[in-house]
Amino acid sequence: MDWFRGYLTKRKQFVHYGGLNSKVNTTECGILQGSVLGPLLFIIYTNDLSDTLNLVKSILFADDTTLYYSSPHIPDPYEIMNEELDSLTDWLRANKLSQNVSKTNYMIFSNINSKQHAMEINLTNTTITKTNCVKFLGVFIDENLNWNELIKVIKKKIFREFFIKRESNTS
């Protein structure tokens, strides 16, 4: 326990930019970014996040969190997600964490046109953007559950690799 306490307390930090250093400050909380223990300690710290959610399920991976909910009726997920996100906001505040709402979005998988429903999902009084494709653990998933976006990304990578090798061979 003393080792963890020593690792997490009385740390100093400063910013080095353009050959200049900021003044040195003591860090009151947080985990060293880029450290080997950082991801593990963050997971331990946030491990009870899913306990704050009643109906919504969560997937936690490092500092990425995915919430999901299934319902046969379109309005239900909106209402339930908004209630659950209020609980999540309370949990974040209690644990001195913040959510980057600009990096937060939602997607609906449905066999009916979800565009006809003008409902909002909010986090910390900010409307979350609806998206039709998301990168989830390195795989692109779209609302139609097809592989089109992933295929586009792979094609770009292959073309870029081919182009780089072709350029180096012609030099």
Side-chain angles (χ1 to χ4, degrees), residues 15-27:
V15 175
H16 176 79
Y17 180 76
L20 300 173
N21 294 336
S22 69
K23 71 176 192 168
V24 176
N25 289 312
T26 301
T27 303

Side-chain angles (χ1 to χ4, degrees), residues 98-105 122-124 126-129:
S98 61
Q99 174 66 35
N100 187 342
V101 181
S102 67
K103 290 183 174 182
T104 304
N105 50 48
N122 298 295
L123 178 64
T124 60
T126 305
T127 300
I128 297 173
T129 305

Side-chain angles (χ1 to χ4, degrees), residues 96-167:
K96 299 179 179 168
L97 294 171
S98 61
Q99 174 66 35
N100 187 342
V101 181
S102 67
K103 290 183 174 182
T104 304
N105 50 48
Y106 74 95
M107 186 166 42
I108 297 175
F109 302 100
S110 176
N111 59 356
I112 60 173
N113 186 357
S114 62
K115 292 177 181 104
Q116 67 191 5
H117 302 282
M119 297 180 192
E120 292 182 350
I121 295 179
N122 298 295
L123 178 64
T124 60
N125 298 320
T126 305
T127 300
I128 297 173
T129 305
K130 183 177 183 289
T131 187
N132 59 2
C133 183
V134 67
K135 188 175 181 183
F136 178 70
L137 300 178
V139 176
F140 288 89
I141 301 172
D142 75 13
E143 63 188 353
N144 299 314
L145 295 176
N146 64 40
W147 300 104
N148 295 346
E149 194 63 33
L150 182 62
I151 291 168
K152 275 192 240 176
V153 169
I154 291 170
K155 277 181 171 178
K156 282 182 188 176
K157 285 182 180 180
I158 290 170
F159 178 76
R160 192 175 20 220
E161 190 69 26
F162 175 75
F163 183 76
I164 290 170
K165 285 185 179 176
R166 188 168 176 226
E167 284 291 311

